[in-house]
Amino acid sequence: DTEVTQTPKHLVMGMTNKKSLKCEQHMGHRAMYWYKQKAKKPPELMFVYSYEKLSINESVPSRFSPECPNSSLLNLHLHALQPEDSALYLCASSQETTDRNEKLFFGSGTQLSVL
Amino acid sequence: AQKVTQAQTEISVVEKEDVTLDCVYETRDTTYYLFWYKQPPSGELVFLIRRNSFDEQNEISGRYSWNFQKSTSSFNFTITASQVVDSAVYFCALRDSGGYQKVTFGTGTKLQVIP
């Protein structure tokens, strides 16, 4: 079983809906990530939180709003999405060190469909 | 800028055959880190191996082996005696000094092992 838990596994929403994706890890990692993955494409980095502070925002549209309530939780709030936002959203975590050798631990993702 | 190329989009092999997945990278840094991740149909990416640029020693782990050659900027992955459970998408990834939390993924190679 993965040590990064994402809910829900599947989500269908309309363009006017507001929904949230949740991610949780209990490995004591202090860096958490959101990635977006379109079908047959590699994951694309969206956001990085380091010690609960947003450290990287890869020019993501404001209809995606990340939140890190504490060191174990990461949310992604969705509002007024477009059909092209349909994708697999992956959460990941890593130990927050300056060691660039550290590996990422991924969740199973939320498959999002925007109608 | 960093770049990872996986020229093989899809590979099909018959069970028990050996298969090599190619990865070629580009970076201007002398210090960098290479990774391989496996993404089974369930969605989560699973870490397989990491290598730093100062360690060109090849590695073998069970049926898996990796060949790192700085001279050709390649980090190839070989599965010996493939099994159906090896069917997945495999991503090669690179992290350099340009942003220690940023990992650049290749486009992935989908491996299908036919029984």
Side-chain angles (χ1 to χ4, degrees), chain A residues 82-110:
Chain A
Q82 303 297 310
E84 58 265 29
D85 296 321
S86 298
L88 180 68
Y89 288 83
L90 292 162
C91 174
S93 70
S94 68
Q95 293 178 321
E96 183 62 332
T97 68
T98 54
D99 178 6
R100 302 187 186 98
N101 206 27
E102 58 188 51
K103 60 185 180 182
L104 297 171
F105 291 78
F106 283 86
S108 298
T110 295

Side-chain angles (χ1 to χ4, degrees), chain A residues 27-99:
Chain A
M27 296 178 281
H29 290 171
R30 302 312 298 270
M32 297 187 76
Y33 310 71
W34 280 115
Y35 281 86
K36 173 182 178 180
Q37 186 178 23
K38 301 283 277 185
K40 299 186 178 181
K41 297 290 185 181
E44 297 178 359
L45 183 64
M46 299 175 72
F47 303 103
V48 180
Y49 272 83
S50 174
Y51 288 90
E52 299 151 54
K53 293 185 178 180
L54 184 64
S55 61
I56 294 179
N57 177 340
E58 290 289 278
S59 302
V60 178
S62 60
R63 57 185 184 270
F64 295 91
S65 176
E67 177 195 21
C68 190
N70 60 56
S71 61
S72 300
L73 294 175
L74 184 67
N75 297 322
L76 185 63
H77 303 298
L78 314 173
H79 175 55
L81 294 192
Q82 303 297 310
E84 58 265 29
D85 296 321
S86 298
L88 180 68
Y89 288 83
L90 292 162
C91 174
S93 70
S94 68
Q95 293 178 321
E96 183 62 332
T97 68
T98 54
D99 178 6

Side-chain angles (χ1 to χ4, degrees), chain A residues 5-48:
Chain A
T5 303
Q6 289 188 245
T7 56
K9 292 191 182 301
H10 302 275
L11 178 63
V12 179
M13 60 185 291
M15 289 189 284
T16 58
N17 292 158
K18 287 184 180 181
K19 297 287 185 182
S20 296
L21 309 184
K22 298 184 183 300
C23 174
E24 188 169 5
Q25 58 87 15
H26 294 288
M27 296 178 281
H29 290 171
R30 302 312 298 270
M32 297 187 76
Y33 310 71
W34 280 115
Y35 281 86
K36 173 182 178 180
Q37 186 178 23
K38 301 283 277 185
K40 299 186 178 181
K41 297 290 185 181
E44 297 178 359
L45 183 64
M46 299 175 72
F47 303 103
V48 180

Side-chain angles (χ1 to χ4, degrees), chain B residues 56-98:
Chain B
E56 287 194 72
Q57 189 173 20
N58 292 326
E59 182 165 333
I60 298 174
S61 177
R63 297 184 297 106
Y64 296 169
S65 62
W66 290 269
N67 183 5
F68 177 29
Q69 292 194 333
K70 286 181 72 173
S71 60
T72 56
S73 297
S74 65
F75 186 40
N76 297 336
F77 172 32
T78 297
I79 301 175
T80 302
S82 59
Q83 299 176 1
V84 173
V85 293
D86 296 326
S87 297
V89 180
Y90 291 85
F91 290 98
C92 181
L94 167 70
R95 174 185 283 160
D96 64 17
S97 63

Side-chain angles (χ1 to χ4, degrees), chain B residues 8-19:
Chain B
Q8 304 151 308
T9 305
E10 295 191 31
I11 301 176
S12 290
V13 298
V14 176
E15 199 171 21
K16 298 185 182 178
E17 286 185 347
D18 299 347
V19 59

